[in-house]
Amino acid sequence: MKPKLSDIARNLSVSSATVSLALSGKGRVSRDMVERVEAEARRIGYAPNQMGKALRTGRSTIIGLVLPDVGNPLFPRMARSIVQAAEDQGYGVLIADSHSGAQTQDRAVQRLVDFGSDGILVIPRKGTRIGSSDIPTAVIDAPTSPLNIVSADHHQGGALAVRHLREQGHQKILCLGGSSASLVQRTRVEGMQSAADGAEVTVHWMNESTPDIPALVRQGVTAIATTSDLMAVQVLTELGAAGLRVPQDVSLVGFDDLDVGQMIRPKLSTVGTSETEIGRRAIAGLIAMINGGERPKDDVVPMHLVQRETAIEIKPGGDEQ
Amino acid sequence: MKPKLSDIARNLSVSSATVSLALSGKGRVSRDMVERVEAEARRIGYAPNQMGKALRTGRSTIIGLVLPDVGNPLFPRMARSIVQAAEDQGYGVLIADSHSGAQTQDRAVQRLVDFGSDGILVIPRKGTRIGSSDIPTAVIDAPTSPLNIVSADHHQGGALAVRHLREQGHQKILCLGGSSASLVQRTRVEGMQSAADGAEVTVHWMNESTPDIPALVRQGVTAIATTSDLMAVQVLTELGAAGLRVPQDVSLVGFDDLDVGQMIRPKLSTVGTSETEIGRRAIAGLIAMINGGERPKDDVVPMHLVQRETAIEIKPGGDEQ
DNA sequence: GCGGCTTGCTTAATCGTTTAACCTTAGGCG
DNA sequence: CGCCTAAGGTTAAACGATTAAGCAAGCCGC
């Protein structure tokens, strides 16, 4: 079947210990021997059996990833960067879905532990906290969240969105949050408010009440900032159906830089995160913990503004109807 | 540390062979013994060490999943159903990303194999084919694709979309495909054409040329069918910017039933797949192969129409400008 | 010339589980 | 009563890798 360590040993008439030592570069092995072992390993296409290795070392080089429910549309990019980062460090990523319910989330963690994961990375569902387990666990959420290891700077991102609108002269800004139960979204909204700089910024939570957006625009709102691109698309189409134009009648900025933002006309201005960076740092931190390091300090990665077509300078004197 | 099999054995003063046999229900063990073992296992919270088990049995109970690039927006649901189905059968899911390039795809497969996966499930990038490896491999693509095991009935789905429009009286239908390089999308378009039933169905591939959609509508097109919700959203917003109304001026139906379809106003009529069903069957088939079964025959799961607000009866006599 | 150090390799134990083969006891039966 | 069988265990050998400990040979210095 698949070539094993002892095949190399037999072919070279040495002990398997020597081969192992040679390949790992750990023990005292002659330079010559190392080369011969490596050559033979390549020749027969040797790849170490992870199970044997894991059993002996107690390390599976597998990281468990617990995903929030599918609803989160920026999960794919997140997952991708995490897998990529893990791969670069030689780790595999085992995934579990925590569908709905916080209790299932803990079960998912448990399953991953049972499979021998060396560490667990959790992107929690909004409003849940994860019970700490006995193996290294890291969370990607927000700085105030327990076990958090890295997060996007949602506060700064929110500020970025509103500051952009302020710079364009907007004085009456509507700020639309999806769910006030989400820590991330609350933080984004707080960031938005923090950049008000004298402008009138009113907040609406979609899970609490559904504002009549076209009406608000007719009452003088000149710009809308949402906490998600999906909501921005909803707003855009709703305004379109009501005969209002973006960005001529009202400016709009989204959040998350989803693909859909580039598809719609006009293209959506939005605030983006570097998922790659977050994934990389989360994995780096987690692996550090696995290797006996201390839990790294919270790491916050900044967001950036993506200027496209939905937010423009307010037309002079057009702010009062 | 973690309780192991031998802990149970010691506590009960029996051999670990007995414990193993009792837990698996395989050998000749007295009813009484089985119960005592199970009780003790629960008491100390025993969970078998997957590495030890895998090493001995040659089965890791891990399935490798190779994902296409992130672009595919229905991937999250797919991944979820696959993970769920695997979990139900006691399997873990190890993921690898095949970013871009077919070569990377094979490397991803190799990585998963090296990690000890018992089988590999691939959702290929459009236009790539995967090299068969030495372990059971299944593909979710289209019936004509090699190694394919299960797929959505894209042809029937396409037919469903156009038939729906035909039933509403539409005679001039524009059919919008994303990329003619994608087997899936070609199949959808073929399905659409097959349901023309005498109507005029013209096809445009977005990767080849960008049609002036508002112009086409003014020339008499009364309905548009796209091969993806994302494109439908693009069309919808483009029409909106041009002052045309959906569905009053033109009907629209998308594909994939993405979340964004429910966010936009009006809500998007579309054709949906049962990702759950596909995931379930793919995993079931793959596990059957792992257990020595033959490669199951291609399995095709039907799509369904999701009627929402963007496709309505054509207004009588409004079909000619 | 001999104890001690270094070098380079080998021996063998070990990780936790499974499972073929064996052993012991007891019951059935002619 | 003794033989055969079955039931219910146990022993021990794997699976494939790592690694502490050991050992032989060579070299050094005094």
Side-chain angles (χ1 to χ4, degrees), chain A residues 4-5 20 46 49 52 56:
Chain A
K4 44 181 119 174
L5 192 76
S20 175
Y46 169 74
N49 178 318
R56 173 63 222 243

Side-chain angles (χ1 to χ4, degrees), chain A residues 176-199:
Chain A
L176 245 34
S179 165
S180 50
S182 157
L183 178 54
V184 163
Q185 300 213 24
R186 278 206 308 277
T187 311
R188 289 179 176 183
V189 166
E190 284 165 20
M192 290 175 177
Q193 291 174 305
S194 77
D197 187 28

Side-chain angles (χ1 to χ4, degrees), chain A residues 145-165:
Chain A
S145 177
L147 298 182
N148 189 73
I149 189 168
V150 51
S151 54
D153 197 339
H154 300 285
H155 190 278
Q156 168 254 357
L160 224 45
V162 167
R163 190 172 312 127
H164 180 52
L165 295 172

